[in-house]
PDB file of all heavy atoms in Angstrom:
ATOM      1  N   ASN S  80      92.089  -2.796 -83.828  1.00 86.00           N
ATOM      2  CA  ASN S  80      92.813  -2.042 -84.904  1.00 86.00           C
ATOM      3  C   ASN S  80      93.168  -0.609 -84.608  1.00 86.00           C
ATOM      4  O   ASN S  80      93.775   0.056 -85.462  1.00 86.00           O
ATOM      5  CB  ASN S  80      92.090  -2.159 -86.217  1.00 86.00           C
ATOM      6  CG  ASN S  80      91.801  -3.657 -86.781  1.00 86.00           C
ATOM      7  OD1 ASN S  80      92.764  -4.448 -86.467  1.00 86.00           O
ATOM      8  ND2 ASN S  80      90.765  -3.922 -87.373  1.00 86.00           N
ATOM      9  N   TYR S  81      92.652  -0.103 -83.594  1.00 89.00           N
ATOM     10  CA  TYR S  81      92.942   1.282 -83.112  1.00 89.00           C
ATOM     11  C   TYR S  81      93.629   1.347 -81.805  1.00 89.00           C
ATOM     12  O   TYR S  81      93.460   0.545 -80.886  1.00 89.00           O
ATOM     13  CB  TYR S  81      91.564   1.987 -83.081  1.00 89.00           C
ATOM     14  CG  TYR S  81      90.939   2.226 -84.400  1.00 89.00           C
ATOM     15  CD1 TYR S  81      90.094   1.188 -85.013  1.00 89.00           C
ATOM     16  CD2 TYR S  81      91.149   3.328 -85.230  1.00 89.00           C
ATOM     17  CE1 TYR S  81      89.478   1.313 -86.144  1.00 89.00           C
ATOM     18  CE2 TYR S  81      90.577   3.509 -86.440  1.00 89.00           C
ATOM     19  CZ  TYR S  81      89.679   2.497 -86.895  1.00 89.00           C
ATOM     20  OH  TYR S  81      89.093   2.574 -88.099  1.00 89.00           O
ATOM     21  N   SER S  82      94.403   2.402 -81.641  1.00 89.00           N
ATOM     22  CA  SER S  82      95.099   2.807 -80.408  1.00 89.00           C
ATOM     23  C   SER S  82      94.829   4.241 -80.074  1.00 89.00           C
ATOM     24  O   SER S  82      94.809   5.010 -81.105  1.00 89.00           O
ATOM     25  CB  SER S  82      96.522   2.502 -80.486  1.00 89.00           C
ATOM     26  OG  SER S  82      97.203   3.232 -81.479  1.00 89.00           O
ATOM     27  N   LEU S  83      94.634   4.540 -78.869  1.00 90.00           N
ATOM     28  CA  LEU S  83      94.480   5.917 -78.440  1.00 90.00           C
ATOM     29  C   LEU S  83      95.748   6.669 -78.633  1.00 90.00           C
ATOM     30  O   LEU S  83      96.811   6.245 -78.264  1.00 90.00           O
ATOM     31  CB  LEU S  83      94.007   5.963 -76.940  1.00 90.00           C
ATOM     32  CG  LEU S  83      93.368   7.269 -76.401  1.00 90.00           C
ATOM     33  CD1 LEU S  83      92.269   7.626 -77.395  1.00 90.00           C
ATOM     34  CD2 LEU S  83      93.081   7.162 -74.996  1.00 90.00           C
ATOM     35  N   HIS S  84      95.595   7.903 -79.324  1.00 88.00           N
ATOM     36  CA  HIS S  84      96.815   8.670 -79.679  1.00 88.00           C
ATOM     37  C   HIS S  84      96.606  10.173 -79.195  1.00 88.00           C
ATOM     38  O   HIS S  84      95.408  10.678 -79.490  1.00 88.00           O
ATOM     39  CB  HIS S  84      97.054   8.571 -81.160  1.00 88.00           C
ATOM     40  CG  HIS S  84      98.217   9.201 -81.592  1.00 88.00           C
ATOM     41  ND1 HIS S  84      99.488   8.741 -81.377  1.00 88.00           N
ATOM     42  CD2 HIS S  84      98.401  10.427 -82.224  1.00 88.00           C
ATOM     43  CE1 HIS S  84     100.340   9.502 -81.970  1.00 88.00           C
ATOM     44  NE2 HIS S  84      99.722  10.492 -82.523  1.00 88.00           N
ATOM     45  N   GLU S  85      97.471  10.748 -78.479  1.00 88.00           N
ATOM     46  CA  GLU S  85      97.319  12.101 -78.056  1.00 88.00           C
ATOM     47  C   GLU S  85      97.786  13.031 -79.264  1.00 88.00           C
ATOM     48  O   GLU S  85      98.987  13.000 -79.640  1.00 88.00           O
ATOM     49  CB  GLU S  85      98.088  12.354 -76.839  1.00 88.00           C
ATOM     50  CG  GLU S  85      97.804  13.781 -76.258  1.00 88.00           C
ATOM     51  CD  GLU S  85      98.378  13.943 -74.787  1.00 88.00           C
ATOM     52  OE1 GLU S  85      99.342  13.218 -74.562  1.00 88.00           O
ATOM     53  OE2 GLU S  85      97.868  14.775 -74.140  1.00 88.00           O
ATOM     54  N   LEU S  86      96.924  13.801 -79.875  1.00 83.00           N
ATOM     55  CA  LEU S  86      97.288  14.707 -81.011  1.00 83.00           C
ATOM     56  C   LEU S  86      97.914  15.974 -80.466  1.00 83.00           C
ATOM     57  O   LEU S  86      98.767  16.528 -81.110  1.00 83.00           O
ATOM     58  CB  LEU S  86      96.127  14.932 -81.800  1.00 83.00           C
ATOM     59  CG  LEU S  86      95.526  13.690 -82.449  1.00 83.00           C
ATOM     60  CD1 LEU S  86      94.177  14.153 -83.217  1.00 83.00           C
ATOM     61  CD2 LEU S  86      96.487  13.193 -83.540  1.00 83.00           C
ATOM     62  N   ALA S  87      97.379  16.457 -79.318  1.00 80.00           N
ATOM     63  CA  ALA S  87      97.821  17.711 -78.704  1.00 80.00           C
ATOM     64  C   ALA S  87      97.438  17.453 -77.287  1.00 80.00           C
ATOM     65  O   ALA S  87      96.787  16.600 -76.901  1.00 80.00           O
ATOM     66  CB  ALA S  87      97.066  18.870 -79.306  1.00 80.00           C
ATOM     67  N   PRO S  88      98.150  18.227 -76.399  1.00 84.00           N
ATOM     68  CA  PRO S  88      97.862  18.126 -74.995  1.00 84.00           C
ATOM     69  C   PRO S  88      96.349  18.189 -74.642  1.00 84.00           C
ATOM     70  O   PRO S  88      95.628  19.082 -74.982  1.00 84.00           O
ATOM     71  CB  PRO S  88      98.561  19.397 -74.379  1.00 84.00           C
ATOM     72  CG  PRO S  88      99.597  19.684 -75.310  1.00 84.00           C
ATOM     73  CD  PRO S  88      99.054  19.342 -76.620  1.00 84.00           C
ATOM     74  N   GLY S  89      95.969  16.963 -74.154  1.00 83.00           N
ATOM     75  CA  GLY S  89      94.504  16.788 -73.760  1.00 83.00           C
ATOM     76  C   GLY S  89      93.596  16.567 -74.963  1.00 83.00           C
ATOM     77  O   GLY S  89      92.297  16.541 -74.797  1.00 83.00           O
ATOM     78  N   ARG S  90      94.117  16.445 -76.188  1.00 83.00           N
ATOM     79  CA  ARG S  90      93.322  16.083 -77.414  1.00 83.00           C
ATOM     80  C   ARG S  90      93.625  14.769 -77.864  1.00 83.00           C
ATOM     81  O   ARG S  90      94.786  14.557 -78.389  1.00 83.00           O
ATOM     82  CB  ARG S  90      93.579  17.127 -78.468  1.00 83.00           C
ATOM     83  CG  ARG S  90      93.412  18.597 -78.145  1.00 83.00           C
ATOM     84  CD  ARG S  90      91.986  18.835 -77.988  1.00 83.00           C
ATOM     85  NE  ARG S  90      91.767  20.290 -77.758  1.00 83.00           N
ATOM     86  CZ  ARG S  90      90.645  20.963 -77.813  1.00 83.00           C
ATOM     87  NH1 ARG S  90      89.624  20.223 -78.300  1.00 83.00           N
ATOM     88  NH2 ARG S  90      90.542  22.132 -77.551  1.00 83.00           N
ATOM     89  N   PHE S  91      92.670  13.826 -77.839  1.00 86.00           N
ATOM     90  CA  PHE S  91      92.959  12.434 -78.184  1.00 86.00           C
ATOM     91  C   PHE S  91      92.061  11.935 -79.282  1.00 86.00           C
ATOM     92  O   PHE S  91      90.880  12.551 -79.497  1.00 86.00           O
ATOM     93  CB  PHE S  91      92.537  11.485 -76.947  1.00 86.00           C
ATOM     94  CG  PHE S  91      93.499  11.738 -75.782  1.00 86.00           C
ATOM     95  CD1 PHE S  91      93.135  12.651 -74.713  1.00 86.00           C
ATOM     96  CD2 PHE S  91      94.612  11.104 -75.766  1.00 86.00           C
ATOM     97  CE1 PHE S  91      93.949  12.822 -73.688  1.00 86.00           C
ATOM     98  CE2 PHE S  91      95.472  11.207 -74.538  1.00 86.00           C
ATOM     99  CZ  PHE S  91      95.120  12.150 -73.538  1.00 86.00           C
ATOM    100  N   ALA S  92      92.550  11.042 -80.028  1.00 89.00           N
ATOM    101  CA  ALA S  92      91.766  10.344 -81.086  1.00 89.00           C
ATOM    102  C   ALA S  92      92.298   8.984 -81.163  1.00 89.00           C
ATOM    103  O   ALA S  92      93.455   8.668 -80.712  1.00 89.00           O
ATOM    104  CB  ALA S  92      92.083  11.099 -82.452  1.00 89.00           C
ATOM    105  N   TYR S  93      91.490   8.180 -81.748  1.00 90.00           N
ATOM    106  CA  TYR S  93      91.874   6.709 -82.050  1.00 90.00           C
ATOM    107  C   TYR S  93      92.687   6.709 -83.386  1.00 90.00           C
ATOM    108  O   TYR S  93      92.013   7.225 -84.370  1.00 90.00           O
ATOM    109  CB  TYR S  93      90.781   5.729 -81.929  1.00 90.00           C
ATOM    110  CG  TYR S  93      90.385   5.384 -80.647  1.00 90.00           C
ATOM    111  CD1 TYR S  93      89.193   6.002 -80.059  1.00 90.00           C
ATOM    112  CD2 TYR S  93      90.974   4.577 -79.764  1.00 90.00           C
ATOM    113  CE1 TYR S  93      88.752   5.745 -78.798  1.00 90.00           C
ATOM    114  CE2 TYR S  93      90.639   4.164 -78.521  1.00 90.00           C
ATOM    115  CZ  TYR S  93      89.489   4.764 -78.109  1.00 90.00           C
ATOM    116  OH  TYR S  93      89.103   4.564 -76.713  1.00 90.00           O
ATOM    117  N   ARG S  94      93.804   6.120 -83.407  1.00 91.00           N
ATOM    118  CA  ARG S  94      94.572   6.039 -84.690  1.00 91.00           C
ATOM    119  C   ARG S  94      94.568   4.659 -85.181  1.00 91.00           C
ATOM    120  O   ARG S  94      94.711   3.690 -84.427  1.00 91.00           O
ATOM    121  CB  ARG S  94      96.082   6.471 -84.304  1.00 91.00           C
ATOM    122  CG  ARG S  94      96.894   6.407 -85.619  1.00 91.00           C
ATOM    123  CD  ARG S  94      98.381   6.912 -85.264  1.00 91.00           C
ATOM    124  NE  ARG S  94      99.102   6.640 -86.304  1.00 91.00           N
ATOM    125  CZ  ARG S  94     100.409   6.414 -86.228  1.00 91.00           C
ATOM    126  NH1 ARG S  94     101.031   6.510 -85.019  1.00 91.00           N
ATOM    127  NH2 ARG S  94     101.233   6.190 -87.221  1.00 91.00           N
ATOM    128  N   PHE S  95      94.246   4.500 -86.421  1.00 89.00           N
ATOM    129  CA  PHE S  95      94.248   3.156 -87.010  1.00 89.00           C
ATOM    130  C   PHE S  95      95.628   2.587 -87.082  1.00 89.00           C
ATOM    131  O   PHE S  95      96.604   3.263 -87.567  1.00 89.00           O
ATOM    132  CB  PHE S  95      93.638   3.350 -88.445  1.00 89.00           C
ATOM    133  CG  PHE S  95      93.481   2.033 -89.127  1.00 89.00           C
ATOM    134  CD1 PHE S  95      92.629   1.072 -88.781  1.00 89.00           C
ATOM    135  CD2 PHE S  95      94.383   1.740 -90.275  1.00 89.00           C
ATOM    136  CE1 PHE S  95      92.526  -0.139 -89.511  1.00 89.00           C
ATOM    137  CE2 PHE S  95      94.287   0.650 -90.989  1.00 89.00           C
ATOM    138  CZ  PHE S  95      93.286  -0.317 -90.540  1.00 89.00           C
ATOM    139  N   LYS S  96      95.685   1.357 -86.784  1.00 84.00           N
ATOM    140  CA  LYS S  96      96.993   0.581 -86.931  1.00 84.00           C
ATOM    141  C   LYS S  96      96.842  -0.294 -88.056  1.00 84.00           C
ATOM    142  O   LYS S  96      96.142  -1.215 -88.095  1.00 84.00           O
ATOM    143  CB  LYS S  96      97.199  -0.347 -85.640  1.00 84.00           C
ATOM    144  CG  LYS S  96      97.255   0.355 -84.384  1.00 84.00           C
ATOM    145  CD  LYS S  96      97.553  -0.514 -83.118  1.00 84.00           C
ATOM    146  CE  LYS S  96      96.402  -1.257 -82.709  1.00 84.00           C
ATOM    147  NZ  LYS S  96      96.501  -2.132 -81.519  1.00 84.00           N
ATOM    148  N   PRO S  97      97.525   0.202 -89.175  1.00 75.00           N
ATOM    149  CA  PRO S  97      97.416  -0.612 -90.362  1.00 75.00           C
ATOM    150  C   PRO S  97      97.942  -1.970 -90.382  1.00 75.00           C
ATOM    151  O   PRO S  97      98.970  -2.191 -89.610  1.00 75.00           O
ATOM    152  CB  PRO S  97      98.217   0.310 -91.364  1.00 75.00           C
ATOM    153  CG  PRO S  97      99.151   1.076 -90.628  1.00 75.00           C
ATOM    154  CD  PRO S  97      98.561   1.197 -89.250  1.00 75.00           C
ATOM    155  N   ALA S  98      97.324  -2.896 -90.925  1.00 67.00           N
ATOM    156  CA  ALA S  98      97.782  -4.284 -91.084  1.00 67.00           C
ATOM    157  C   ALA S  98      98.139  -4.532 -92.534  1.00 67.00           C
ATOM    158  O   ALA S  98      97.732  -3.794 -93.415  1.00 67.00           O
ATOM    159  CB  ALA S  98      96.725  -5.277 -90.640  1.00 67.00           C
ATOM    160  N   ASP S  99      98.982  -5.501 -92.675  1.00 62.00           N
ATOM    161  CA  ASP S  99      99.423  -5.667 -94.055  1.00 62.00           C
ATOM    162  C   ASP S  99      98.321  -6.148 -94.987  1.00 62.00           C
ATOM    163  O   ASP S  99      98.260  -5.809 -96.168  1.00 62.00           O
ATOM    164  CB  ASP S  99     100.492  -6.868 -94.086  1.00 62.00           C
ATOM    165  CG  ASP S  99     101.794  -6.407 -93.352  1.00 62.00           C
ATOM    166  OD1 ASP S  99     102.007  -5.227 -93.295  1.00 62.00           O
ATOM    167  OD2 ASP S  99     102.573  -7.338 -92.945  1.00 62.00           O
ATOM    168  N   VAL S 100      97.321  -6.887 -94.457  1.00 61.00           N
ATOM    169  CA  VAL S 100      96.304  -7.410 -95.290  1.00 61.00           C
ATOM    170  C   VAL S 100      95.115  -6.345 -95.485  1.00 61.00           C
ATOM    171  O   VAL S 100      94.363  -6.496 -96.424  1.00 61.00           O
ATOM    172  CB  VAL S 100      95.591  -8.738 -94.735  1.00 61.00           C
ATOM    173  CG1 VAL S 100      96.616  -9.732 -94.797  1.00 61.00           C
ATOM    174  CG2 VAL S 100      95.127  -8.492 -93.339  1.00 61.00           C
TER     175      VAL S 100
END
Side-chain angles (χ1 to χ4, degrees):
N80 294 328
Y81 290 87
S82 63
L83 194 60
H84 186 72
E85 188 171 23
L86 298 174
R90 304 284 186 168
F91 295 93
Y93 283 101
R94 180 176 170 208
F95 180 70
K96 299 184 282 187
D99 293 337
V100 293

